[in-house]
Amino acid sequence: MISADILVPFLLASIALDIAPGPDNLFVLTQSALHGKKAGALVTLGLCTGLIFHTSLVALGLAVIFQESWALGALKLFAATYLLYLAYKTLATNLVNLNESMKLPNAALYQRGIIMSSTNPKVSVFFLAFLPQFISADTGSFVSQVFILGGVFAVTAFCVFSGIAYAGGRLQQQLISSPNIQIMLNRVAACVFTALAANLLL
């Protein structure tokens, strides 16, 4: 069992990292502002599911693959392409039936979160550097400690991102009556997706 001397600093560091502006919380805010609080919560759940995927890669020693330039480049290209696809879909929303066309199935929103997180190799590389700092050889097996810490990080991320989803959803409720503002939000969201794609490729 990981001691409180290790777990508490890790918990505080995780919360600070979750709150800090970054692509994931920006993604949650954008999706919530476009589709509502529930959509933001589903995207958040998907993102946290992706964190479990990255935790597994670190625990199994597979995250080192992303230190290879070809693997890192391939996954970055896939993730950037997906984000550009989302940007296109957002801009191509049917403006005649805006409210209806913006509704997405729950599974699609959850899937967006998973893809956004799991295809971002920077998360695996970050976990590979971050998690071992809080692992002690005297505490137990490396794998079990990685999964515990990864789980804690996912829980803190879910809590923080849920708050962001709620805030974005409140914004969406206030703006939903104005088609012009919704169109503007679509354009802003498309710019955000494009910027996230560019950030991945840099």
Side-chain angles (χ1 to χ4, degrees):
M1 184 66 181
I2 299 177
S3 67
D5 292 340
I6 295 176
L7 199 55
V8 171
F10 177 80
L11 182 64
L12 295 175
S14 298
I15 293 173
L17 289 168
D18 292 330
I19 294 174
D24 285 348
N25 44 28
L26 188 58
F27 188 72
V28 171
L29 180 62
T30 303
Q31 293 296 289
S32 303
L34 284 175
H35 305 292
K37 290 179 288 189
K38 182 180 178 181
L42 288 165
V43 168
T44 293
L45 189 59
L47 287 170
C48 293
T49 302
L51 291 178
I52 296 172
F53 167 74
H54 289 292
T55 300
S56 301
L57 289 182
V58 174
L60 299 175
L62 299 177
V64 293
I65 293 174
F66 297 128
Q67 292 182 328
E68 298 290 336
S69 59
W70 66 268
L72 186 64
L75 199 56
K76 279 185 176 182
L77 183 60
F78 178 83
T81 301
Y82 178 71
L83 285 167
L84 291 174
Y85 165 76
L86 290 183
Y88 167 75
K89 290 286 288 183
T90 303
L91 286 176
T93 298
N94 183 355
L95 300 183
V96 177
N97 298 302
L98 189 63
N99 290 334
E100 289 299 320
S101 62
M102 288 181 65
K103 291 180 180 178
L104 292 173
N106 292 344
L109 291 162
Y110 177 62
Q111 184 183 58
R112 279 191 178 187
I114 292 177
I115 294 175
M116 174 67 182
S117 179
S118 60
T119 60
N120 186 353
K122 291 183 178 181
V123 178
S124 282
V125 174
F126 166 73
F127 267 27
L128 192 61
F130 179 61
L131 296 183
Q133 298 180 48
F134 298 90
I135 290 176
S136 171
D138 301 326
T139 304
S141 72
F142 173 82
V143 172
S144 63
Q145 290 183 74
V146 167
F147 275 114
I148 291 172
L149 294 175
V152 170
F153 191 91
V155 169
T156 61
F158 181 80
C159 293
V160 172
F161 292 169
S162 292
I164 295 172
Y166 179 80
R170 289 293 298 270
L171 177 65
Q172 190 256 2
Q173 288 178 342
Q174 295 176 11
L175 301 179
I176 196 170
S177 60
S178 173
N180 289 333
I181 292 180
Q182 286 193 17
I183 292 170
M184 181 190 71
L185 280 177
N186 274 12
R187 292 172 179 170
V188 170
C191 290
V192 169
F193 294 148
T194 303
L196 291 176
N199 180 63
L200 267 177
L201 295 174
L202 293 178

